[in-house]
Amino acid sequence: MPHHSPTLARLAMTVLQPGFDGTAPPDWLRRALSEGLGGAVLFARNLAGPAQTAELVAGMRRENPAVVVAVDEEGGAVTRLEARTGSSWPGNRALGVAGDAERTERVAREIGRLLAAADITLDYAPVVDVNANPANPVIGIRSFGPDPELVSRQTTAWITGLQGAGVAACAKHFPGHGDTVTDSHHALPTVHADLGLLQERDLPPFRAAVKAGVQAVMCGHLLVPALDPGNPATLSRRILTGLLREEMGFGGMLVTDAIEMGAVAALHPPGEIAVRALAAGVDAICVGVSSAGGESVYALRDAIVRAVHDGRLPEERLAEAAGRVLALAGWYAENAAARARDTEAPEGRGGRDPRGEGEELGLQAARAAMRVTVAGDRTAPPPVLSRPPLVVDIAPRLNLAIDPSTPTGLVGAMTELLPGTTGHTVAAETADLPDLSDHRRPLVLVAHDAPRHAWVRDLLARAVGLRPDAIVIETGLPGEPTGAVHIATHGISRVSARAAALWLTGGQ
């Protein structure tokens, strides 16, 4: 693009947070970082293990030491660093059901330690949406729960824990994605609540996050007519500047959800979304997918520069946005001592395990969230599994926030405790149950969000009709208990699966 000021180009680069392909920084990313690219977001596709992740981030920091390296590490279903194995910590709903804010703080501190070991600046977490609608297709177990007070307490604890480990937290998805029936990855959801309900239900956890000193907030691609009937939150000055900045007093970095998501991608081209979001009060533009040579990132830079030249985006607003990105990087640099303290070696031993007390704490938290119902409400414990079961995973397509390779983990957890366990996955509405006629073999049925999927409920009912002795494990939001034993784990994670498997085998 001809004749733009190098200063302006650098400011425009500072506000971008793109994703990229590969497990090492591609050449275009190195170049962009040397030209002032302010951030980048990591996904499971970039991460192959702790040493490689640390080297990837180090390679990025060699080009720009102040780069804001971000990742979605919520715990539970949404994990990037542990996508291949499943998370070492239960997610928000499990923590909310357990209801112990001190434990939540410790879990978040462990997640912070994991990220600090890789020198990651910012966790796009926690989700502080109040999951007011059980039919919500994208939040669900990612929320601490349906009660604003509970969500606010858990939000404060989670932010305190993560930031206490020297990693920045990001409360999302402002002004609240909990009462929606549309997944914003596909289309634009509308929140139909009136202003009174928003103030009473959706906004308190964000107020709690601001009060707790959260370093970043992510806005959601949501239409909230009570706040702004004409623009989704991402593009709404009334919501982002008027409500979040001026009324709620948030002074940290405001980042968009990924701008290629269907909710906003259908409205405008990427450059136009970036310009309008910045004009509305956003400081950082998250774009999950970039073209192979980074052309799409440079196109965003050029669109922002052009908008300043055309008078559509005040240069002061762009400078303010870039300043907030750099301020977040500054906060991270200032907290180096907290990260060093948490990752230094215990006396006389080698380097500290970045998971810290993670394994035991994660299992303890997962157990605290488990709710077991025995048919007939018998007080006697059910018979413990002593033979390897058939585990049938009735798996609806998990939402797009969850990495597709993330395992639900029950087969693995049962196999570890009862070698010879076999697994069968029912992957789509058209699939059918396997042969369940061998009554000598215990049957474990695993479902996720069965109340939201009629075909899952039908298959469960058929399976339990054929095998009344079946054990049912629900990893999402539970409905009416079914089966001889019903276990609600309130989440998908390696530890939630292990907690259920231990309970079933008498290992508690």
Side-chain angles (χ1 to χ4, degrees):
M1 187 185 161
H3 312 305
H4 57 247
S5 118
T7 311
L8 206 51
R10 196 170 185 91
L11 288 176
M13 286 299 260
T14 304
V15 302
L16 301 178
Q17 295 190 353
F20 57 92
D21 287 331
T23 51
D27 290 344
W28 73 262
L29 182 66
R30 290 181 188 278
R31 186 174 84 250
L33 286 163
S34 72
E35 293 167 5
L37 181 67
V41 54
L42 305 177
F43 291 92
R45 64 179 184 260
N46 305 122
L47 309 175
Q52 172 272 332
T53 301
E55 178 46 43
L56 170 64
V57 176
M60 293 160 69
R61 292 204 184 280
R62 281 194 285 274
E63 303 297 338
N64 177 3
V67 60
V68 171
V69 182
V71 72
D72 288 282
E73 194 64 40
E74 297 174 12
V78 178
T79 174
R80 305 298 187 225
L81 276 77
E82 297 189 289
R84 285 163 185 78
T85 57
S87 180
S88 302
W89 299 278
N92 283 6
R93 185 55 168 244
L95 295 172
V97 167
D100 182 337
E102 188 199 351
R103 188 189 284 126
T104 296
E105 185 178 330
R106 286 166 60 207
V107 166
R109 184 175 285 260
E110 288 304 313
I111 291 174
R113 285 172 172 156
L114 181 72
L115 301 182
D119 206 11
I120 290 169
T121 318
L122 172 65
D123 190 356
Y124 287 152
V127 170
V128 310
D129 304 311
V130 176
N131 199 63
N133 192 330
N136 194 318
V138 67
I139 303 301
I141 54 168
R142 297 168 63 202
S143 162
F144 291 114
D147 172 39
E149 281 185 32
L150 169 91
V151 175
S152 297
R153 280 196 306 277
Q154 293 285 320
T155 291
T156 299
W158 211 99
I159 290 166
T160 303
L162 188 87
Q163 294 192 164
V167 174
C170 178
K172 65 187 186 188
H173 307 83
F174 186 80
H177 206 320
D179 188 10
T180 62
V181 290
T182 305
D183 183 341
S184 49
H185 293 86
H186 298 295
L188 181 64
T190 300
V191 178
H192 294 286
D194 62 26
L195 189 57
L197 184 54
L198 292 171
Q199 290 285 10
E200 189 183 306
R201 182 191 66 192
D202 297 88
L203 295 176
F206 289 99
R207 293 187 192 280
V210 172
K211 191 174 175 189
V214 73
Q215 289 298 307
V217 168
M218 177 181 283
C219 54
H221 301 316
L222 307 159
L223 189 66
V224 191
L227 298 174
D228 185 339
N231 298 290
T234 310
L235 310 178
S236 170
R237 186 163 179 83
R238 200 181 293 180
I239 292 174
L240 301 184
T241 299
L243 177 59
L244 182 61
R245 295 285 187 210
E246 293 166 2
E247 190 188 315
M248 293 172 67
F250 176 62
M253 189 190 82
L254 177 57
V255 60
T256 66
D257 209 340
I259 63 168
E260 74 275 10
M261 287 166 65
V264 289
L267 300 177
H268 305 286
E272 185 65 12
I273 294 169
V275 167
R276 288 183 182 220
L278 288 162
V282 155
D283 305 308
I285 307 294
C286 171
V287 49
V289 179
S290 303
S291 54
E295 302 86 353
S296 60
V297 174
Y298 283 92
L300 286 172
R301 177 199 69 180
D302 292 348
I304 293 166
V305 170
R306 195 178 304 115
V308 175
H309 283 312
D310 292 348
R312 296 181 56 228
L313 177 64
E315 187 168 351
E316 308 77 60
R317 170 77 275 270
L318 179 59
E320 177 186 59
R324 289 209 186 99
V325 174
L326 295 172
L328 182 81
W331 178 92
Y332 182 77
E334 286 161 16
N335 279 272
R339 293 190 296 280
R341 183 186 63 236
D342 268 1
T343 53
E344 68 194 5
E347 285 173 44
R349 275 180 281 160
R352 186 190 189 286
D353 176 1
R355 290 193 186 192
E357 60 170 342
E359 283 300 310
E360 193 43 51
L361 174 65
L363 189 57
Q364 183 192 94
R367 280 184 172 137
M370 229 167 51
R371 296 293 179 266
V372 180
T373 309
V374 179
D377 209 16
R378 298 190 299 272
T379 47
V384 167
L385 289 185
S386 54
R387 294 195 307 284
L390 167 64
V391 179
V392 178
D393 206 337
I394 305 172
R397 173 77 176 89
L398 299 171
N399 73 66
L400 292 176
I402 298 168
D403 191 83
S405 58
T406 306
T408 50
L410 257 301
V411 176
M414 293 303 305
T415 303
E416 213 175 287
L417 297 169
L418 289 174
T421 293
T422 52
H424 179 94
T425 300
V426 180
E429 289 89 332
T430 51
D432 208 347
L433 292 164
D435 179 9
L436 305 179
S437 60
D438 182 0
H439 284 253
R440 294 166 304 170
R441 174 148 232 192
L443 175 62
V444 178
L445 303 164
V446 185
H448 182 76
D449 279 352
R452 284 205 308 112
H453 301 278
W455 70 275
V456 176
R457 289 198 305 277
D458 292 347
L459 277 185
L460 275 178
R462 264 184 35 221
V464 171
L466 291 165
R467 291 286 301 272
D469 61 318
I471 293 157
V472 176
I473 299 178
E474 169 59 76
T475 62
L477 299 182
E480 280 299 307
T482 178
V485 177
H486 184 273
I487 301 176
T489 64
H490 296 100
I492 302 170
S493 66
R494 190 163 42 82
V495 284
S496 293
R498 184 162 174 75
L502 282 166
W503 190 88
L504 285 172
T505 54
Q508 291 303 308

